[in-house]
Amino acid sequence: MKRVFSGIKPTGHLTLGNYLGAMRRWSEVDQHGADALFCVVDLHALTVDHDPGRVRRLSRQAATLLLAAGLDPKLCTLFVQSHVDEHARLSYLLECVATDGEMRRMIQYKEKAAAERARGGSVRLSLLTYPVLMAADILAYGTDEVPVGDDQAQHVELTRDLAVRFNQRYGHTFVVPRTTHPQVAARVMNLQEPTSKMGKSDDTGPGIVYLLDEPEVVRKKIMRAVTDSGSDVVHDRRARPGVSNLLEILAACTDADPGELAGAYATYGALKKDTADAVVELLGPVRRRHQELCADPAYVDQVLREGAGKAREMARPRVDAAYRAIGLLPAG
């Protein structure tokens, strides 16, 4: 059976974009057809200025929402990254294989570093090197497929390059993974800025639908979504980003084609109403299950503890082999 790995970073409250772009596929497809591992990548949250207590709260919330979205610990392995030491162990080895130029070419590094400097802050070294930690997350498990959104595709390509380079220099150690994308809504856009991703770290509420938003809040945000000049409903992401975003959200919620949906609407208002209804209906079960899980924290703790144990057993032999291959003396 193929092995699938993916993770989610606890840098903000999870959004509709996280759900449609990744989480729903994980629960409906990946955990059923693969040996699947899903991880709250809390170490990645330390690459920027952060509040320690908030990272802990968001890490727990993310794990709880992943369970609420349908991940079943009987079908997959769910754990927190920092609970498995092999991630950090392997990351340093891969830093010894990666180059400074590769790191500085990463689009997300350029964007986040520029934003941090614009705020007058300093850029942490970990922001530059975190794609290597992401590669370690993936390669430690012999991952075959990495289901990610479009914004992470460059990092998976780096992972592939590092795996090939390590194998060529030090002997075959790692599986070279491939990226998979959901067909629709791989990148849900901000409702107020439809040329920008609906990111959980932005904290600009009106344009972001959070998974734990109340139904009336969801409706209000969607009904106030920015559309485009003109009145006809057309699916054209470049020329009509606002209406195209709504069509793709509706299509993802209803398993339809956004181009075909466009022909069914004469006004933006009708499209917004149906999109709001579809999102509220889609997220209702997730919110209700989240409430149930919050009332049973011991269960969530048990899932994460057992998941970390399983992940550790899977990762350790390969990471130990990488240590030997690169020339490190085995511990006695």
Side-chain angles (χ1 to χ4, degrees), residues 80-93:
V80 175
Q81 179 189 31
S82 64
H83 295 176
V84 180
D85 293 344
E86 278 64 30
H87 292 253
R89 289 181 61 208
L90 181 56
S91 181
Y92 180 73
L93 294 196

Side-chain angles (χ1 to χ4, degrees), residues 10-260:
T11 51
H13 299 289
L14 299 185
T15 72
L16 177 66
N18 296 127
Y19 185 73
L20 292 179
M23 294 165 64
R24 185 169 68 162
R25 176 187 171 93
W26 297 352
S27 65
E28 294 181 355
V29 178
D30 294 319
Q31 70 173 343
H32 297 283
D35 180 8
L37 298 98
F38 302 107
C39 181
V40 179
V41 287
D42 54 344
L43 295 175
H44 292 294
L46 311 185
T47 60
V48 294
D49 189 36
H50 64 277
D51 174 72
R54 186 170 188 263
V55 170
R56 281 190 289 270
R57 290 192 299 272
L58 290 175
S59 296
R60 185 172 190 83
Q61 184 186 86
T64 306
L65 277 169
L66 288 171
L67 290 169
L71 291 189
D72 184 346
K74 295 178 181 177
L75 298 175
C76 67
T77 303
L78 175 62
F79 65 103
V80 175
Q81 179 189 31
S82 64
H83 295 176
V84 180
D85 293 344
E86 278 64 30
H87 292 253
R89 289 181 61 208
L90 181 56
S91 181
Y92 180 73
L93 294 196
L94 295 178
E95 285 186 15
C96 297
V97 176
T99 68
D100 176 77
E102 285 175 316
M103 297 299 98
R104 296 186 186 280
R105 284 194 296 271
M106 294 291 108
I107 295 171
Q108 283 206 11
Y109 169 73
K110 293 179 181 178
E111 294 176 347
K112 292 182 178 180
E116 189 63 33
R117 293 188 185 102
R119 287 193 293 265
S122 57
V123 180
R124 300 186 180 193
L125 178 61
S126 56
L127 184 63
L128 178 66
T129 60
Y130 99 86
V132 178
L133 176 58
M134 180 176 170
D137 299 338
I138 296 165
L139 297 179
Y141 297 99
T143 303
D144 298 298
E145 292 185 359
V146 188
V148 295
D150 293 339
D151 58 324
Q152 293 293 332
Q154 187 185 32
H155 292 161
V156 180
E157 284 305 308
L158 173 70
T159 300
R160 290 170 51 85
D161 291 342
L162 295 179
V164 169
R165 191 177 306 154
F166 191 103
N167 289 346
Q168 290 175 342
R169 290 181 181 176
Y170 306 114
H172 185 79
T173 306
F174 298 116
V175 174
V176 181
R178 58 186 176 273
T179 307
T180 58
H181 301 281
Q183 292 183 339
V184 178
R187 198 174 192 191
V188 177
M189 312 307 280
N190 189 297
L191 295 172
Q192 293 298 314
E193 300 177 27
T195 57
S196 301
K197 188 183 75 165
M198 186 183 284
K200 61 182 178 297
S201 305
D202 297 338
D203 290 330
T204 53
I208 302 174
V209 175
Y210 295 103
L211 296 186
L212 296 180
D213 278 346
E214 296 290 338
E216 60 270 21
V217 174
V218 173
R219 292 184 190 280
K220 183 180 294 185
K221 288 179 177 180
I222 293 176
M223 294 304 295
R224 293 180 177 177
V226 168
T227 49
D228 313 291
S229 59
S231 58
D232 53 328
V233 178
V234 177
H235 181 246
D236 184 336
R237 184 176 277 279
R238 177 171 294 182
R240 300 286 186 84
V243 70
S244 295
N245 189 37
L246 291 170
L247 286 166
E248 292 186 13
I249 291 171
L250 179 58
C253 290
T254 59
D255 295 320
D257 177 82
E260 294 178 2

Side-chain angles (χ1 to χ4, degrees), residues 247-296:
L247 286 166
E248 292 186 13
I249 291 171
L250 179 58
C253 290
T254 59
D255 295 320
D257 177 82
E260 294 178 2
L261 284 174
Y265 292 95
T267 66
Y268 291 159
L271 171 62
K272 288 181 175 181
K273 182 181 183 302
D274 283 359
T275 302
D277 289 342
V279 172
V280 168
E281 182 176 355
L282 182 73
L283 297 186
V286 177
R287 292 181 61 255
R288 289 190 291 272
R289 179 59 177 150
H290 178 265
Q291 291 176 339
E292 295 171 359
L293 290 166
C294 286
D296 189 6

